[in-house]
């Protein structure tokens, strides 16, 4: 019997994904076995293969789902002033990163464990998101509202700075999320010479 008695596919599939995400983020992809994921969910190891062909496919699915959700959630308004667009991006990225910290960690730390084809697909999705910020910076530079030497490098540096909030933020700490957004917006604005 592959499935634990009483388990249901519409519940077990999402539980497998949640457990894998949590375990990969906590211990690293290479250190987590399919048996550990099955144990966490409460199913036999063989049951996992009804939901995913292998561990690599599970990792790719988690990363692809995260990037698809991120791309679907972010909306730029090209008609707005570049500084307003940048502030919106900064606040969106911080909030989204804090809401999905395990997925963010996975997307940055486990790229090295993807197959070449899977890496290419995830990289293309990431590039699309990064290009949105790069466009804001180019528009800001063209309007004279921002001073950046290299829009691509500046976009990557800003995303790196914003994403790092997941490394240290703890709910209930000295600063609430809104104040963190204010501080990061000040840092971002200063970094583009605004």
């Amino acid at each position: 019997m592959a499935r634990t008695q009483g388990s249901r596919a519409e519940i077990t599939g999402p539980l497998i994904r949640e457990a894998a995400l949590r375990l990969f983020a906590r211990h690293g992809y290479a250190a987590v076995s399919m048996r550990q994921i099955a144990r966490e969910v409460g199913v036999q190891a063989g049951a996992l293969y009804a939901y995913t062909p292998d561990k690599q496919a599970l990792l790719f699915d988690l990363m692809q789902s995260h990037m698809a959700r991120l791309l679907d959630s972010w909306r730029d308004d090209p008609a707005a002033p570049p500084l307003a667009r940048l502030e919106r991006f900064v606040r969106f990225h911080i909030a989204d990163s804090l809401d999905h910290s395990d997925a963010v960690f996975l997307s940055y730390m486990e790229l090295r464990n993807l197959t070449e084809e899977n890496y290419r697909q995830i990289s293309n999705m990431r590039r699309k998101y990064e290009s949105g910020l790069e466009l804001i910076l180019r528009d800001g530079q063209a309007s004279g509202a921002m001073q950046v030497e290299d829009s691509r490098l500046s976009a990557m540096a800003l995303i790196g700075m914003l994403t790092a909030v997941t490394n240290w933020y703890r709910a209930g700490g000295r600063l609430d999320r809104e104040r963190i957004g204010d501080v990061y917006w000040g840092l971002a604005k200063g970094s583009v010479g605004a």
Side-chain angles (χ1 to χ4, degrees), residues 1 14 23 27 32 59 61 65 73 83-84 86-87 89 91 94 121 129 141 146 156-157 162 174 184:
M1 175 188 343
L23 290 169
H27 304 292
V32 175
L59 176 65
D61 181 53
S65 296
S73 298
L83 277 176
L86 179 59
E87 180 178 7
F89 182 91
R91 293 183 185 279
I94 288 171
Q121 289 184 51
Y129 181 70
Q141 192 168 11
M146 299 177 201
M156 298 303 291
L162 299 173
R174 185 173 62 86
Y184 268 85

Side-chain angles (χ1 to χ4, degrees), residues 7-66:
S7 71
R8 296 183 14 214
E10 67 274 9
I11 295 171
T12 306
L15 288 176
I16 290 168
R17 291 171 46 83
E18 291 168 17
L21 177 62
R22 191 171 49 254
L23 290 169
F24 291 162
R26 186 178 308 137
H27 304 292
Y29 171 80
V32 175
S33 69
M34 293 295 269
R35 287 189 184 283
Q36 286 173 286
I37 296 168
R39 190 169 38 252
E40 185 86 6
V41 176
V43 297
Q44 295 177 17
L48 296 182
Y49 299 100
Y51 301 94
T52 186
D54 55 33
K55 193 168 85 162
Q56 173 66 205
L58 185 54
L59 176 65
F60 174 72
D61 181 53
L62 291 168
M63 288 183 164
Q64 184 181 47
S65 296
H66 168 68

